[in-house]
Amino acid sequence: MQGVPHIGHIRGALNYDVLRRWLVHSGLDVLLVRNVTDIDDKILAKAADADRPWWEWAATHERAFEQAYDQLGCLPPSINPRATGHITQMVELMQRLIDQGHAYATEGDVYFSVKSFDHYGELSRQGLDDVQQGETPTRGKQDPRDFTLWKSAKPGEPSWPTPWGPGRPGWHLECSAMATAYLGREFDIHGGGIDLIFPHHENERAQSNAAGDPFARYWLHNAWVTMSGEKMAKSLGNTVSIPAMLERYRAPELRYYLVQPHYRSNVEYSDGAVSEAAQGYRRIETFLRRAAGSGEVTIGTLPAEFANALDDDLATPQAFAVVHNTVRDGNAALDAGDTPKALELAAAVRAMTDVLGLDPLSARWSEAGGSDTPTKEALGFLVEGLLAERQQARAEKDFARADAARDRLQQAGIVVEDTPNGPQWTVKSD
């Protein structure tokens, strides 16, 4: 934890939150471990630059991440272990690797011997000759492709005692130690961003398997949030922080934006894309509140098409399509005065959005956005009504009435953009 969380950081957590909710809904018992790296090179460097203790820097940003996860509706993990609390397990893992000839100690450092593990490179699908760890060259390495398990103590840095001398853990080592401490030697799913496949996940898999642990059965990797085609990252100066985004959008609207695309697809950030997602959420919200005005809307049964979509590699775009088709049919039923049908469809929408962590009628989101939520809901209802009136006028070729509706919106500070998916609206920021 080294900085303020941005939407690129949080996207993966939201993807795996949807997966977790779907697995639980499917009747499985889920133990979710979300480990915290609270000691590494970047934390030490940034804390030093800010003239703050490393542990305080790590704890401050850990709290910021936890707040962001909570604000966007992530269920809390089963356990949230920190690296510094699991040094004993790391030392034990290194000892097992050394005893089996897969690691060696030199001058207080401990390295994993890549050549000793025949399956190295299989996860990232590269040959041993192509491997470059990206580590700063150090003395004592038997092979430049070997990666660091333990770093010997340096002046001014925190350290812990080991049989090979004091020091601190390498990033790869700590993740394997924490995963097996809580999930056992073999577990079902290991998740993370695609940028972690190599070297991080490759090295986790190698050190765990070499020690004799089967480790993860399946590896899932979510894609990036990009800006102008580049991965969103602080080093590129193109981040969009969660606190800043939540000043402009309600939390469920931002969650909708980040979970609607398939987890393996890049999300290209733009203000227009987020606004379009916010309107998608509002359409669901408006329908459910209309239906609730006609009777009680319970959580009903999931449509088979929705379940099939999530069973197919968590295909959220197809799942959301089912949601919006059901909303469309529900609005039509309301317009026709068929209240029983509308309530049945609304119950299905609640069931689907509950799985997605987006149920607008849930206790979590019914008040999302703070004290001005009723104002936002009223605005959304009025704008959608005027847009529907404009669309109807255009269909009837009454362009004077259509233009009048658009003029009224513009006078109120509402910007309307016609898109292939229908009119999209935003509130003029200036």
Side-chain angles (χ1 to χ4, degrees), residues 149-171:
L149 298 172
W150 189 260
K151 300 186 176 188
S152 59
K154 306 292 188 301
E157 291 187 358
S159 64
W160 290 262
T162 76
W164 314 283
R168 60 182 176 87
W171 179 30

Side-chain angles (χ1 to χ4, degrees), residues 283-336:
R283 284 192 288 272
I284 299 169
E285 184 179 42
T286 300
F287 163 62
L288 287 178
R289 294 196 182 282
R290 283 187 69 197
S294 301
E296 182 182 6
V297 179
T298 59
I299 294 180
T301 303
L302 287 176
E305 298 89 343
F306 179 89
N308 291 339
L310 292 190
D311 276 341
D312 184 12
D313 195 23
L314 208 69
T316 49
Q318 288 74 21
F320 273 90
V322 178
V323 173
H324 283 288
N325 288 339
T326 310
V327 166
R328 180 199 61 206
D329 294 343
N331 277 320
L334 285 172
D335 293 341

Side-chain angles (χ1 to χ4, degrees), residues 9 19 38 48 97 121-122 132 140 174 210 224 243 253 276 289 334 359 376 393:
H9 289 136
L19 174 62
D38 60 347
L97 288 169
E122 289 181 358
Q132 293 183 0
E174 61 189 42
W224 297 330
E253 294 169 350
E276 184 175 340
R289 294 196 182 282
L334 285 172
D359 177 10
K376 292 179 179 178

Side-chain angles (χ1 to χ4, degrees), residues 366-387:
S366 60
E367 297 300 326
S371 59
D372 62 339
T373 295
T375 302
K376 292 179 179 178
E377 291 175 358
L379 175 63
F381 187 82
L382 292 172
V383 171
E384 293 292 344
L386 278 172
L387 287 176

Side-chain angles (χ1 to χ4, degrees), residues 2 18 34 37 64 73 76 103 165 176 197 200 241 274-275 290 330 343 409:
Q2 16 158 329
V18 172
R34 189 166 67 217
T37 296
S176 285
I197 296 175
H200 186 47
S241 74
V274 185
S275 295
R290 283 187 69 197
L343 292 178
L409 289 166

Side-chain angles (χ1 to χ4, degrees), residues 1 31-38 59 61-63 65-67 69 75-86 178 182:
M1 301 298 181
L31 176 65
L32 186 141
V33 177
R34 189 166 67 217
N35 62 292
V36 177
T37 296
D38 60 347
H61 292 98
E62 178 186 345
R63 288 193 296 271
F65 271 75
E66 290 302 320
Q67 181 181 27
Y69 295 144
L75 298 172
S78 306
I79 186 69
N80 213 28
R82 298 178 182 87
T84 54
H86 297 78
M178 285 187 280
Y182 296 97

